[in-house]
Structure formats: structure tokens, C-alpha cells
């Protein structure tokens, strides 16, 4: 494709957490050009950039930074607006841009007095994805985004590479109050994907009912911790109560009723990946081991 643009400049660049970033990533891929953050762009400005933003999402600092290059310099650029508020800053960028595009006709109508030559565009839907292949094993992991760690997933991937069965890892994660999905989290996700040879499905946040259904359907739940599993790790106890085998890591602080090759599997003690029969056996024993640790029993303990 012959492009008029050298790169796409975006305020947010994480496609998992921002719709404009997702749009910009897909457009950059289609055009085979770089997607740059504002910070990256201002360090080494490139002529004929397409700035694709919502100005109301941008921090004042980012707006000033971008303006220092595009409004005060001679760098050529075009502008694609995903919302229009006609702030003084937005108007200044519109007047300076070589071309101005609006994400829909309503937004373009708002720009007519500023840029009568602006062009209405659209936002394509996501491309159809091919159905995932069938796998012999489905493993699932849940947890807070800031707690996902990749080291033991790498060992798990090594065990699976020595196994004849194909395997897929499903990852569902939630955000802790006051935290965000950081770029660091997604680099960890990439490391985990590499450990599983790309056979990783990122599920995002799931409601409790879907969590239960996924656990029942999985061959094992994977949950690793900085030290070792504890009796207040809700995800682990939930999986055990479902009769799902849990692959985790144990230490001296782990409860006595979580025992390797009995009620759980300790990744640090595994030499090969367990057979389907072993996974079912451990899952069955897990349900028995965790039965005294329900909300009913907790309420009784607190009411003593």
C-alpha cells in the first residue's frame, strides 16, 4: 500500500485498555507504519505523521508537548479526531494540520466553521478471527493484573513441550481498585504467550458465572504466587471446590491440607506434565480437602 503517512501518533498506545489505541494499532498495521506515543514522536519528529487522538483524553502536558513540535515547528502532519469539543488547543491543531479527518459525520459537522474541508470517516469493526484450534488440554488462570508473574509459567510451558498433548492457556484477570492494566502487565502476558508457543487466550474480566463455567471445562487451574499458595487465595479454593486440579507452588507457609500430588500439584516438584487420569484424581481429592473451608464454616468460626 502506498501511504501518505510516515507514522500514526497516539496518546494511549495500549490496545487492551483504550478504544482509540486499538483503532490506531489496527490502522497502523494495515498501513504498515509505526504507531508512536506522543513522547516517542516528539523525541524524533517525523514529517507526514497522522495524529489520531481524542483531545479530551490527553493530559495537558501531552497536549503542550505535542504542540511544541507541531504548532511551533514546520513539521507537516494530518489530524484524525475521534471526538470534537473545539477547545482552543484542538482548534489550533485543526488550523495547523494539512488535512483534518473526523471519525463520523456528526463530528465533521462540528468542524465546518474551523475546517470546512474536513473529511468524515468511520471506524471499521474488528476483523473476523478464525476459530481457535482444538487442544488436548485447556489450562486456565485467574488473578489480579498486578500479581501475574511469568517465571513459573515458563517452567509449565517447558513441561508441556515435553508432552505429546497440545495445550492452551486461558488467562482471565481483573484490576485491583486504584490500579490499571499497565504496559508492564502486557509484556508479562507476552512472555507467558511465548512459553506456551502462542497458544494463549486473553479472556479479560469474567463474571462469576462464567468463571465457574470455565473452571468446570478446564483440565487444570494454574495459580502461582511470590511465595506459596495460602488458604486465603480465593481462586485456588474456588477451583478445588469445583473439583478442578490446581497447579500452584507450595512453601512452608502453605496449609497442610494442600499437598503435592494429593490435593494440589506443586510446579516445583513436577518433572513431567500429569496424565489426564492424574489431573482428575487430584481434582477429586481437592474437592474433599477444601470442603471444610466454605463461607458456611467461616461464618460459624466467626460466630464462636
Amino acid at each position: 500500500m502506498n501511504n501518505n503517512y510516515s507514522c500514526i501518533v497516539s496518546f494511549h498506545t495500549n490496545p487492551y485498555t483504550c478504544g482509540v489505541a486499538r483503532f490506531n494499532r489496527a490502522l497502523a498495521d494495515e498501513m504498515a507504519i509505526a504507531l508512536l506515543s506522543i513522547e516517542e514522536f516528539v523525541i524524533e519528529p517525523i514529517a507526514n505523521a497522522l495524529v489520531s487522538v481524542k483531545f479530551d483524553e490527553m493530559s495537558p502536558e501531552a497536549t503542550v508537548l505535542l504542540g511544541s513540535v507541531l504548532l511551533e515547528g514546520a513539521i507537516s502532519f494530518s489530524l484524525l479526531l475521534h471526538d470534537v469539543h473545539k477547545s482552543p488547543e484542538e482548534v489550533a491543531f485543526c488550523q495547523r494540520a494539512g488535512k483534518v479527518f473526523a471519525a463520523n459525520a456528526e463530528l465533521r459537522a462540528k468542524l465546518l466553521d474551523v475546517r470546512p474541508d474536513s473529511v468524515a470517516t468511520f471506524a471499521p469493526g474488528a476483523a473476523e478471527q478464525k476459530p481457535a484450534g482444538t487442544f488436548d488440554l485447556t489450562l486456565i488462570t485467574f488473578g489480579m493484573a498486578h500479581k501475574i508473574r511469568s517465571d513459573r509459567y515458563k517452567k509449565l510451558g517447558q513441561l508441556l513441550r515435553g508432552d505429546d498433548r497440545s495445550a492452551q492457556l486461558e488467562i482471565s484477570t481483573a484490576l485491583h481498585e486504584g490500579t490499571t492494566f499497565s504496559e508492564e502487565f502486557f509484556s508479562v502476558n507476552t512472555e507467558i504467550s511465548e512459553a506456551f508457543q502462542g497458544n494463549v487466550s486473553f479472556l479479560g474480566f469474567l463474571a462469576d458465572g462464567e468463571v465457574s463455567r470455565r473452571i468446570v471445562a478446564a483440565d487444570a487451574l494454574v495459580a502461582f504466587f511470590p511465595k506459596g499458595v495460602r488458604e486465603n487465595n480465593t481462586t485456588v479454593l474456588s477451583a478445588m471446590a469445583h473439583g478442578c486440579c490446581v497447579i500452584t507452588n507450595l512453601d512452608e507457609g502453605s496449609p497442610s491440607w494442600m499437598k503435592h500430588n494429593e490435593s494440589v500439584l506443586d510446579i516445583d516438584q513436577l518433572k513431567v506434565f500429569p496424565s489426564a487420569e492424574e489431573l482428575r484424581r487430584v481434582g477429586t481429592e481437592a474437592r474433599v480437602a477444601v470442603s471444610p473451608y466454605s463461607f458456611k464454616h467461616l461464618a460459624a468460626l466467626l460466630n464462636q
Side-chain angles (χ1 to χ4, degrees):
M1 173 183 289
N2 293 324
N3 287 317
N4 295 324
Y5 306 106
S6 59
C7 64
I8 293 178
V9 179
S10 182
F11 176 57
H12 293 125
T13 56
N14 190 334
Y16 293 95
T17 58
C18 175
V20 174
R22 187 180 305 115
F23 171 94
N24 288 343
R25 176 74 274 165
L27 184 59
D29 289 345
E30 177 63 31
M31 290 182 168
I33 57 178
L35 176 66
L36 302 178
S37 67
I38 289 173
E39 290 78 7
E40 291 171 325
F41 176 72
V42 298
I43 290 173
E44 191 172 346
I46 308 172
N48 301 320
L50 176 62
V51 178
S52 178
V53 295
K54 279 185 178 181
F55 275 96
D56 63 327
E57 283 187 349
M58 291 170 56
S59 66
E61 294 78 11
T63 303
V64 170
L65 194 62
L66 189 61
S68 68
V69 172
L70 296 182
L71 299 182
E72 300 172 18
I75 295 289
S76 59
F77 72 98
S78 293
L79 186 64
L80 172 52
L81 294 176
H82 296 265
D83 205 354
V84 172
H85 294 282
K86 296 171 75 171
S87 66
E89 296 80 10
E90 189 176 274
V91 169
F93 276 93
C94 284
Q95 291 174 335
R96 174 70 179 79
K99 294 180 180 178
V100 176
F101 302 93
N104 62 44
E106 181 183 22
L107 296 176
R108 190 245 172 188
K110 294 181 179 180
L111 289 172
L112 288 178
D113 61 333
V114 177
R115 284 297 297 256
D117 61 339
S118 60
V119 177
T121 63
F122 55 92
E128 182 179 357
Q129 299 292 315
K130 293 181 180 180
T134 56
F135 296 88
D136 300 318
L137 294 167
T138 296
L139 311 180
I140 192 163
T141 186
F142 298 90
M144 293 297 177
H146 66 293
K147 293 183 179 179
I148 296 283
R149 290 171 170 81
S150 63
D151 49 354
R152 287 188 168 91
Y153 289 94
K154 292 179 182 177
K155 178 175 181 181
L156 186 59
Q158 291 170 356
L159 293 176
L160 288 165
R161 281 195 290 276
D163 196 284
D164 293 334
R165 292 165 291 175
S166 61
Q168 174 184 235
L169 177 67
E170 296 181 334
I171 300 176
S172 174
T173 190
L175 288 175
H176 194 279
E177 189 71 30
T179 65
T180 61
F181 283 112
S182 65
E183 296 288 351
E184 289 75 16
F185 164 71
F186 289 101
S187 69
V188 169
N189 192 45
T190 299
E191 292 171 8
I192 294 172
S193 180
E194 290 173 353
F196 280 79
Q197 300 179 307
N199 295 324
V200 171
S201 177
F202 184 71
L203 305 178
F205 173 76
L206 299 178
D208 288 348
E210 183 63 13
V211 167
S212 179
R213 191 189 72 77
R214 294 271 181 172
I215 290 175
V216 169
D219 294 285
L221 177 129
V222 181
F224 301 131
F225 304 94
K227 294 182 179 179
V229 65
R230 298 289 185 264
E231 56 269 45
N232 65 331
N233 293 134
T234 304
T235 300
V236 170
L237 270 67
S238 295
M240 295 175 73
H242 279 73
C244 178
C245 177
V246 173
I247 302 174
T248 187
N249 56 302
L250 300 172
D251 69 357
E252 64 279 359
S254 300
S256 61
W257 45 271
M258 291 187 189
K259 295 181 180 179
H260 173 62
N261 208 31
E262 293 183 21
S263 56
V264 298
L265 293 173
D266 181 5
I267 185 65
D268 295 325
Q269 298 186 58
L270 285 177
K271 304 300 181 185
V272 296
F273 197 83
S275 66
E277 180 181 349
E278 289 172 316
L279 293 172
R280 286 193 294 269
R281 174 185 58 78
V282 173
T284 299
E285 293 189 32
R287 191 195 298 270
V288 175
V290 81
S291 60
Y293 304 100
S294 65
F295 273 103
K296 179 179 179 179
H297 288 86
L298 177 60
L301 175 64
L302 295 174
N303 282 315
Q304 286 181 355

